[in-house]
Amino acid sequence: MGTTHTGVVELHLTVRDMEEADLPDLACFYSRLGLEKMPAELERARRGVVDHLVVCTPSGLLVAKGGVNYDEKPEAGVIWTLSVRAELRSLGIGTVLIGAAEDRIRARGLPRAEIGVEENNPRALALYERLGYVAYGSEPASWDDEAEDGTVQLYETTCTLLRKDLRS
């Protein structure tokens, strides 16, 4: 990263497919439980069911990750599991990642991208709306979550559902 004379940070980032070799470097994004599921997820990516993407600096540091699920909704790629390193948020990295995910969806000939955001995450919601996503509903969501002591519990929340037409 460099800084221009205007004080704006320039980012030189690469978005690529996640690989098995990346998994040790992804511990900042996943719990132990989440990391254990990733080899199966990468197999799903090899079969074309999903894309798992990472954003890297020129030195190879992984600064963000996310995915696109093509199996969840007809005529749409569902963007999911987005995360940017906490210390690097608000630098445009999430925007780069979402743009790459949208490019993947377009490349499959799908007309729409969809994304869900927890109702208690107004920062992410504001980003998605700024990028042209429009809310169309909400739904309950749940997943296994690992507590700091290693116990697994069901996490339940409500997500706002958003979509964006990619044809224009």
Side-chain angles (χ1 to χ4, degrees):
M1 290 183 285
T3 305
T4 67
H5 67 282
T6 60
V8 175
V9 176
E10 289 182 40
L11 301 174
H12 304 283
L13 302 171
T14 302
V15 181
R16 62 169 174 76
D17 289 313
M18 185 185 293
E19 301 169 355
E20 296 256 353
D22 296 324
L23 296 182
D25 295 330
L26 293 170
C28 65
F29 298 114
Y30 293 107
S31 67
R32 176 192 53 82
L33 183 65
L35 277 175
E36 287 176 358
K37 294 179 180 181
M38 286 313 298
E41 280 296 315
L42 292 176
E43 179 56 35
R44 289 180 71 213
R46 283 188 282 278
R47 291 194 325 262
V49 177
V50 297
D51 281 326
H52 285 284
L53 306 173
V54 291
V55 181
C56 309
T57 65
S59 69
L61 176 68
L62 301 182
V63 295
K65 61 88 181 168
V68 182
N69 187 336
Y70 302 104
D71 213 22
E72 190 174 330
K73 296 194 177 183
E75 300 295 310
V78 177
I79 300 172
W80 58 310
T81 69
L82 298 174
S83 186
V84 174
R85 284 183 182 266
E87 68 275 17
L88 297 174
R89 291 183 182 148
S90 298
L91 296 175
I93 297 169
T95 299
V96 169
L97 178 56
I98 291 168
E102 290 172 355
D103 289 345
R104 296 286 183 105
I105 295 166
R106 278 188 205 93
R108 287 186 176 236
L110 297 172
R112 190 175 72 249
E114 297 204 13
I115 195 164
V117 60
E118 287 186 75
E119 289 183 344
N120 64 359
N121 193 347
R123 255 181 101 202
L125 177 61
L127 170 63
Y128 305 150
E129 289 176 337
R130 201 166 48 252
L131 294 176
Y133 286 80
V134 177
Y136 69 89
S138 66
E139 69 181 11
S142 63
W143 54 85
D144 287 336
D145 190 37
E146 185 176 12
E148 286 187 25
D149 67 2
T151 59
V152 177
Q153 47 199 305
L154 185 65
Y155 176 80
E156 296 180 278
T157 189
T158 300
C159 289
T160 299
L161 304 175
L162 300 102
R163 65 173 55 123
K164 180 178 178 179
D165 187 338
L166 298 179
R167 293 174 288 199
S168 53

